[in-house]
Amino acid sequence: MRRARPVVDAGPSARTRGRSGAGAGALRTNPRQHILDTWRAFARVTINNGEWTWGGRDPSNSISDAEQILCLLYPATEVAGFKLDRPDAIEDDVLAVLKPMGSGLDIPMRMLEALERYLDNYTDEGGPTFTGGSYLHTEEPGNEVKPEQSSYDITESYSISVTLCLSAKGFLREFQRTVERAELRDRIEATLKRLDNRLTVAMVGLLRSFVINVLEPDSEAETRLLRTVSQGRVVGRTLTQDLRGQLQPVRDKLPELTFGLPPENERLLRDYPERFFECGWAWGVAQDATDIDLPAAVGVRQPHGIADSRPVLHFTVSALDGLADLFSGRTSRQGLLTSEQQALREALNLRWGLALQYWSTIATFGTGRWPMEDVPWEGSDGQTSPYFTELVLSIVSTSLVGGNAKGDVVGRSVGVLEELAQRGRVSRRAVEEDRGITMHDPGVPIPLRGSELNGPPLAWVYTGYAATLAKAALRFASVTSSRRNRARLIEVADSAVEHLLARRQQTTGLWDDPSNVFPGVAPAPATPAWDITERAIEVFVASASLIAAPPVADQGQIDQANTKIAEARHILDQERLTTPTAGGAQEQKLLREVEQLLNRADSLVSERPATAAALADKVLRDLDELAFARQAAIRSA
């Protein structure tokens, strides 16, 4: 799960608590300091005698190595003030914490070397590879993951490769502009081409792992879906017709999805309009995925899929996170996609929108209690977990950013996030053998249906509950206009950040050691877990993004500021009417200054109404003092 939106320089954060009164809604988290602290620990662990050291708690794989690189590269490309692509412009405090990596010029060179090595390690004679490797586990303890299973391509790898390739391309292009040696410029250019190739293959993989699962009537999957949306109401014709009606906009567009999907899907959707369905991303290339026939995919290895053709919430959110970077303004501004990749982008954009619309519709269905408010969420496969509720909220919050959600979504999500913080013992003390601990250690197991083709059934285990909670809260906080909701959301995010900080290892300063906060949990090995470390970095970047955004402004504040500005302009016009143009130099100077202040207030009123009102107040005081001085002069004459 990844990727906050790009931000400008965050600067130091406010430290006041997000409660009513002064400082309400202000983060007490200091993302700049947290990123610097993490980078200091990262440099000590990763750089050994000037060489990049791979691996951590888990042996290297295509996902963990990408996470390790992104611990450094992601803030460097998303948060101004942490840029590393111009050696002569790296901030002094950044140089200090990254001292093990060398000087200002050494740092981007270490990054280039790491990217080259990564591309070497995860490319074979057939092209880029996206295997899960050491991140794959067997469902039953004691069984062994077979070599053939370790080589399964994983949606998580496709997704993180999109983020890695786009971040690396933006970084290297800027670094290339500062390089004079032709040899080094050619080396960078060669790496950019290899990144383009990996990006293309990852995009094709995401297309082929998107699935539509048409549910059989009266099947267990349909029963679970209807039980989820009914929320205790009678499942009759009225409810099912209402659900079909709300899902109809998604159904109408599904036949347009021809790339990577079997023709059987289109026939089922056309011939059985009464059947329900689900859509999203499987854990890997689907069993029935077809080849992508687009120019960009020509020559790309498209292996036969083995993943069960049903969406998995965890991998759906992972894919959406990676695609958020693909569709970001930075990707467009920097022109990071080739012309051939644009067609793949459009196909993925359609799937992105439909997945958001489908899951948001299910999550907020009905007029009473919404399904997302019924913790824990139950999937169509019967598995339940508060973590799945987090995932659903993550999708809903993403749809809000695009303006597609309905009603008081933020207001109703706040209470759910607060409950999730309590259930996961993020904002509440845990006791031994507390069930809430299991979501962090050993984590939430997610079965990989279809993986048993070449060995025992496999599972993906996720331990980033607190990070996912923080990111969802921060995303909701970024879109709400309610100060009360924002304050409560920031309190959830701050609690999650404090929880994460408490779990840093004493030895490395990185993550993760749940025994620091949970009783009865065995101490973790003294090696970094790059998945949790990278997710902590994502939370800090998301915090910086929230701080960098304009302050929350409600319509009442805007109206009040506009009223003050209008009164000040009217009084200014009166003063101009009565003050001779050849009048006193001080009076004319004052009138010019107050006009400039009012112009400034006008430009700020929609985003910073309190500041605009303060400027208007100053103008009103200055004009009143001018009028008072004139009246005093008249009386004394």
Side-chain angles (χ1 to χ4, degrees):
M1 237 97 6
R2 261 183 329 284
R3 279 74 84 187
R5 298 291 82 238
V7 299
V8 297
D9 190 5
S13 82
R15 293 178 176 82
T16 52
R17 284 186 175 265
R19 298 194 176 104
S20 59
L27 277 166
R28 60 179 181 268
T29 295
N30 186 338
R32 183 173 186 84
Q33 190 59 53
H34 296 332
I35 293 173
L36 289 172
D37 290 343
T38 305
W39 275 11
R40 180 183 291 107
F42 173 91
R44 287 198 305 261
V45 169
T46 297
I47 304 303
N48 186 9
N49 294 325
E51 297 293 327
W52 189 286
T53 303
W54 298 98
R57 187 165 305 172
D58 296 283
S60 287
N61 61 66
S62 70
I63 303 167
S64 68
D65 286 356
E67 289 166 339
Q68 185 176 359
I69 294 174
L70 284 170
C71 286
L72 187 62
L73 187 58
Y74 195 58
T77 54
E78 300 292 343
V79 186
F82 287 92
K83 291 186 176 298
L84 304 175
D85 46 25
R86 299 185 66 86
D88 59 345
I90 299 176
E91 300 287 349
D92 290 342
D93 55 354
V94 172
L95 284 173
V97 300
L98 295 180
K99 188 175 181 180
M101 298 184 72
S103 65
L105 180 59
D106 294 327
I107 292 171
M109 286 300 300
R110 294 293 86 77
M111 183 61 67
L112 173 60
E113 292 164 1
L115 290 168
E116 290 173 328
R117 184 69 179 276
Y118 179 86
L119 294 168
D120 288 341
N121 290 345
Y122 301 106
T123 304
D124 61 19
E125 64 278 1
T129 61
F130 300 85
T131 56
S134 59
Y135 274 5
L136 299 179
H137 304 269
T138 58
E139 279 197 63
E140 293 295 330
N143 288 334
E144 182 180 348
V145 178
K146 302 301 182 185
E148 297 85 354
Q149 295 176 301
S150 294
S151 63
Y152 289 163
D153 284 359
I154 305 293
T155 300
E156 190 93 4
S157 184
Y158 294 140
S159 175
I160 201 167
S161 288
V162 170
T163 297
L164 176 65
C165 291
L166 292 172
S167 296
K169 284 186 67 177
F171 175 86
L172 290 179
R173 281 187 177 180
E174 190 64 30
F175 178 45
Q176 191 178 38
R177 294 188 179 97
T178 69
V179 172
E180 297 181 356
R181 286 189 294 135
E183 178 185 357
L184 182 53
R185 292 179 63 86
D186 291 344
R187 184 176 162 189
I188 294 173
E189 192 62 38
T191 304
L192 286 168
K193 290 180 180 178
R194 297 177 69 190
L195 288 166
D196 259 331
N197 185 37
R198 185 171 185 85
L199 176 59
T200 295
V201 181
M203 294 170 73
V204 170
L206 285 174
L207 282 173
R208 300 182 73 231
S209 55
F210 183 87
V211 293
I212 302 169
N213 182 30
V214 182
L215 306 181
E216 290 286 340
D218 300 321
S219 64
E220 289 187 6
E222 184 191 71
T223 300
R224 292 188 185 107
L225 173 65
L226 294 177
R227 184 167 63 234
T228 296
V229 299
S230 68
Q231 289 300 293
R233 300 187 297 275
V234 175
V235 179
R237 175 177 294 182
T238 300
L239 185 144
T240 55
Q241 286 183 344
D242 189 16
L243 180 59
R244 289 190 185 98
Q246 291 198 31
L247 291 176
Q248 194 61 43
V250 179
R251 176 186 283 273
D252 289 342
K253 292 182 180 179
L254 288 177
E256 299 177 23
L257 307 182
T258 56
F259 298 129
L261 292 166
E264 180 72 8
N265 276 341
E266 183 180 359
R267 185 187 67 79
L268 289 172
L269 290 167
R270 182 184 65 249
D271 295 348
Y272 301 98
E274 77 285 354
R275 290 191 183 181
F276 293 107
F277 61 93
E278 54 185 357
C279 62
W281 275 265
W283 61 264
V285 175
Q287 294 170 348
D288 55 5
T290 61
D291 286 355
I292 305 297
D293 185 20
L294 286 173
V298 174
V300 171
R301 177 173 58 186
Q302 300 189 41
H304 181 73
I306 60 170
D308 192 13
S309 299
R310 68 168 60 189
V312 181
L313 260 176
H314 171 87
F315 295 100
T316 295
V317 173
S318 176
L320 292 173
D321 280 344
L323 292 176
D325 294 306
L326 190 68
F327 308 140
S328 72
R330 178 176 65 88
T331 298
S332 299
R333 287 193 306 272
Q334 295 183 352
L336 298 179
L337 299 181
T338 65
S339 57
E340 292 80 8
Q341 289 166 346
Q342 291 293 338
L344 298 175
R345 179 191 182 279
E346 292 307 312
L348 287 167
N349 193 26
L350 182 56
R351 286 154 178 78
W352 149 280
L354 292 177
L356 286 178
Q357 190 173 0
Y358 173 83
W359 289 102
S360 296
T361 299
I362 297 297
T364 60
F365 179 79
T367 56
R369 182 177 62 178
W370 285 346
M372 71 177 192
E373 295 175 290
D374 186 12
V375 183
W377 184 274
E378 180 183 21
S380 63
D381 61 354
Q383 191 178 12
T384 63
S385 173
Y387 170 57
F388 300 152
T389 304
E390 282 189 344
L391 294 174
V392 171
L393 286 172
S394 178
I395 295 175
V396 172
S397 66
T398 302
S399 71
L400 269 176
V401 174
N404 298 319
K406 64 181 182 182
D408 184 25
V409 178
V410 176
R412 297 176 72 163
S413 299
V414 175
V416 182
L417 288 164
E418 290 172 335
E419 180 180 350
L420 291 171
Q422 294 173 19
R423 286 202 180 210
R425 297 301 179 257
V426 171
S427 61
R428 291 290 185 274
R429 180 175 61 87
V431 296
E432 284 198 46
E433 299 183 0
D434 195 319
R435 290 184 62 186
I437 297 175
T438 61
M439 285 178 283
H440 309 270
D441 185 273
V444 181
I446 301 165
L448 306 183
R449 305 302 184 203
S451 61
E452 63 275 10
L453 178 66
N454 296 304
L458 301 182
W460 184 272
V461 180
Y462 185 71
T463 57
Y465 183 93
T468 302
L469 178 70
K471 286 175 59 182
L474 290 166
R475 190 178 288 135
F476 276 117
S478 71
V479 297
T480 184
S481 59
S482 165
R483 290 184 175 275
R484 175 174 171 77
N485 286 339
R486 180 183 170 98
R488 292 171 65 190
L489 289 163
I490 285 178
E491 182 62 28
V492 172
D494 276 332
S495 296
V497 169
E498 289 170 358
H499 173 90
L500 283 169
L501 293 175
R503 285 168 55 169
R504 282 183 298 191
Q505 296 172 318
Q506 298 296 320
T507 51
T508 67
L510 299 175
W511 283 265
D512 179 33
D513 193 351
S515 68
N516 291 348
V517 294
F518 294 129
V521 173
T527 49
W530 291 119
D531 55 347
I532 303 302
T533 300
E534 194 272 338
R535 283 165 177 79
I537 282 287
E538 291 174 20
V539 172
F540 302 152
V541 171
S543 299
S545 179
L546 184 66
I547 293 170
V552 175
D554 58 44
Q555 192 58 47
Q557 286 181 305
I558 294 173
D559 292 342
Q560 184 181 39
N562 278 324
T563 299
K564 292 182 177 183
I565 293 171
E567 180 179 339
R569 283 204 180 278
H570 185 74
I571 296 173
L572 173 61
D573 289 340
Q574 289 178 332
E575 289 294 337
R576 283 173 169 165
L577 184 65
T578 58
T579 302
T581 56
Q586 286 299 111
E587 288 185 352
Q588 291 297 330
K589 180 181 178 182
L590 175 62
L591 295 181
R592 288 194 298 270
E593 288 176 349
V594 298
E595 183 176 23
Q596 290 174 354
L597 286 175
L598 287 178
N599 290 339
R600 172 65 175 163
D602 267 332
S603 69
L604 295 174
V605 71
S606 61
E607 292 186 348
R608 294 165 55 186
T611 303
L615 292 173
D617 286 338
K618 182 179 186 311
V619 169
L620 289 168
R621 285 196 301 272
D622 290 345
L623 291 174
D624 186 62
E625 289 174 1
L626 178 63
F628 182 80
R630 183 185 304 110
Q631 292 170 2
I634 292 173
R635 286 194 299 269
S636 62

